[in-house]
Amino acid sequence: MVDLERIKAETVAYFRALDQNATLRHHFRHADEEGGLWYIEAVPDRGELIVIKQAELTPAGQLHRYNWEHLEDEHSGLTDRSTLKGIRWRPSRPRSSSRCGLGERARQPL
């Protein structure tokens, strides 16, 4: 039987460690076809960039934020590493992503 609580605890611990121990952070933004805006913060781990914070501003003006303290909800969840591939992400300044909740506010539970 799968121990979902253990898996969730290990997932939270992984993303928390990446966030708290990161010495290099990358910020990207993307506008999707529906008019939504995406902002992510990623850190290197084992040769890949791993998304540790994510914010989506929907065309309707709703803000959805995800990080190690809030991995998922009924709308979506923190992306997996494969999402960085196949989408044209543009580099973004950290202050841009902070305005959409990736900064200190993202550390607070929603």
Side-chain angles (χ1 to χ4, degrees), residues 4-66:
L4 296 178
E5 288 300 316
R6 180 185 56 80
I7 292 170
K8 182 177 179 180
E10 289 173 357
T11 302
V12 167
Y14 171 70
F15 285 108
R16 180 178 53 227
L18 286 178
D19 185 22
Q20 292 177 343
N21 299 317
T23 57
L24 179 62
R25 297 172 185 267
H26 301 271
H27 299 89
F28 300 95
R29 67 183 189 277
H30 171 72
D32 64 26
E33 299 81 28
E34 292 84 34
L37 300 175
W38 294 78
Y39 298 89
I40 61 172
E41 180 175 303
V43 299
D45 184 46
R46 299 181 199 125
E48 294 186 85
L49 284 179
I50 306 298
V51 176
I52 60 168
K53 295 179 185 172
Q54 169 184 324
E56 175 194 6
L57 184 59
T58 68
Q62 294 179 321
L63 177 62
H64 303 281
R65 298 178 301 181
Y66 305 98

Side-chain angles (χ1 to χ4, degrees), residues 39-97:
Y39 298 89
I40 61 172
E41 180 175 303
V43 299
D45 184 46
R46 299 181 199 125
E48 294 186 85
L49 284 179
I50 306 298
V51 176
I52 60 168
K53 295 179 185 172
Q54 169 184 324
E56 175 194 6
L57 184 59
T58 68
Q62 294 179 321
L63 177 62
H64 303 281
R65 298 178 301 181
Y66 305 98
N67 61 39
W68 63 267
E69 291 180 294
H70 183 75
L71 291 175
E72 62 184 359
D73 58 25
E74 65 280 352
H75 176 72
S76 188
L78 186 64
T79 189
D80 62 16
R81 63 182 83 184
S82 63
T83 300
L84 282 175
K85 299 173 184 168
I87 296 177
R88 187 170 180 189
W89 292 95
R90 295 180 172 206
S92 177
R93 293 182 180 168
R95 63 185 168 155
S96 298
S97 53

